[in-house]
Amino acid sequence: MNPKIIHAIAGTLAMLIIATFWTTTTISELFLSVSAIVAVKHYIAYYGIACLAVCMAMTGGTGNFLGKSRKGRLITEKQKRMKIIALNGICIMLPSAIFLNYKASSGQFDTIFYVVQVIELMVGIVQLTLLGKNFQAGLKMAGRLRKKKPAVA
């Protein structure tokens, strides 16, 4: 299969998975029962992380492959954002998901749980924003998104 197609599909799926984590977490926390929160944390920790890791690895791998022959501001910015995304994922999102699953499955919905939950949600927004910018840059690089024309005064 074409690396460009794999890159686009894997990157899109990664964004959708993160958006799903964020949405299900928010909805369960605000509107659903404790058992629903426990289930959401369980599915994210046991299944979601694995799916996201595969998508991110595919996105990063194909991105590195495709980026070897490219130069310029857009590719440099994408690479910088991917380093931040990876660092956030490994250092904040992954440990938070595991910790929150542990706390939820133990019924420990205390202050620490909610502080970590808020941090995870905030970093999730950062991740989605950075991935969205990379998505937009990728569309520009592929010629599928026109660059903005300067406003005429």
Side-chain angles (χ1 to χ4, degrees):
M1 186 180 263
N2 184 336
K4 289 181 182 179
I5 294 170
I6 294 170
H7 185 73
I9 291 170
T12 300
L13 285 174
M15 286 180 62
L16 290 172
I17 290 168
I18 293 170
T20 300
F21 289 176
W22 201 94
T23 303
T24 55
T25 293
T26 303
I27 289 171
S28 68
E29 291 286 346
L30 294 176
F31 303 111
L32 301 178
S33 66
V34 169
S35 62
I37 296 168
V38 171
V40 167
K41 296 300 168 202
H42 173 80
Y43 286 111
I44 289 173
Y46 281 88
Y47 306 106
I49 290 171
C51 292
L52 181 59
V54 169
C55 288
M56 291 302 291
M58 290 174 65
T59 303
T62 55
N64 283 333
F65 175 78
L66 294 168
K68 284 182 182 179
S69 62
R70 299 196 74 138
K71 301 283 183 218
R73 180 183 57 82
L74 287 175
I75 192 73
T76 302
E77 289 174 356
K78 281 185 73 154
Q79 290 169 337
K80 285 179 184 176
R81 283 190 291 264
M82 280 308 294
K83 288 177 184 175
I84 296 168
I85 291 165
L87 192 62
N88 283 344
I90 293 168
C91 295
I92 299 171
M93 302 300 285
L94 179 61
S96 294
I98 294 167
F99 175 78
L100 292 169
N101 177 57
Y102 169 76
K103 294 286 273 186
S105 64
S106 302
Q108 299 177 30
F109 296 95
D110 54 11
T111 303
I112 295 171
F113 175 90
Y114 288 107
V115 167
V116 172
Q117 183 64 83
V118 168
I119 291 168
E120 183 187 49
L121 289 170
M122 290 185 331
V123 175
I125 292 293
V126 170
Q127 298 290 78
L128 285 171
T129 300
L130 294 173
L131 285 167
K133 287 182 178 195
N134 275 5
F135 190 89
Q136 185 178 28
L139 290 174
K140 285 180 184 175
M141 290 168 58
R144 295 186 182 197
L145 187 66
R146 294 183 185 164
K147 295 179 182 176
K148 293 181 183 178
K149 294 181 182 179
V152 179

